[in-house]
Amino acid sequence: MGICIVCKKEMSDADVTTCTGNTSIKYPDGEVLKPVPYDPKKSHLPKWFRCPDCNVVPGGMHHPNCDQEYCPRCEGQLISCDCFDIEEDSK
Ligand SMILES: [Zn+2]
Ligand SMILES: [Zn+2]
Ligand SMILES: [Zn+2]
């Protein structure tokens, strides 16, 4: 799985239960929100199930760029939601 860029830990290591570096999300307009912890129920997984993408435990913070992390603003998938798209070209 590789080493996380913010907490510098091996993501596949069973001892790594949360990302200690994932403490806030900054949006392009300057708003800062708390990241949403991993909740297997949201992904329709058993409640003991570790994150299928970044391997943190339920209630832990995802490592950045995890495809299971939700956006606290729009509740969509964080890596693909529109909150980070800055429209620089006005049509
Ligand atoms: Zn991490
Ligand atoms: Zn994750
Ligand atoms: Zn969003």
Side-chain angles (χ1 to χ4, degrees):
M1 236 176 280
I3 305 287
C4 171
I5 51 161
V6 295
C7 70
K8 310 276 195 276
K9 298 206 175 100
E10 172 58 53
M11 291 185 262
S12 60
D13 192 330
D15 293 338
V16 179
T17 57
T18 184
C19 183
T20 50
N22 187 9
T23 55
S24 63
I25 298 170
K26 269 198 199 75
Y27 291 90
D29 62 3
E31 188 176 356
V32 179
L33 293 176
K34 282 191 116 162
V36 183
Y38 166 52
D39 180 0
K41 274 183 290 177
K42 276 194 163 185
S43 306
H44 307 286
L45 293 165
K47 63 176 192 297
W48 47 265
F49 205 88
R50 295 181 79 129
C51 179
D53 194 50
C54 75
N55 202 44
V56 297
V57 297
M61 307 314 287
H62 295 278
H63 299 284
N65 302 318
C66 174
D67 68 11
Q68 299 292 313
E69 183 163 10
Y70 286 89
C71 173
R73 185 187 266 187
C74 71
E75 297 184 352
Q77 188 186 28
L78 189 64
I79 56 166
S80 65
C81 82
D82 294 333
C83 300
F84 297 93
D85 291 341
I86 308 164
E87 307 256 338
E88 284 177 56
D89 303 315
S90 46
K91 279 170 198 154

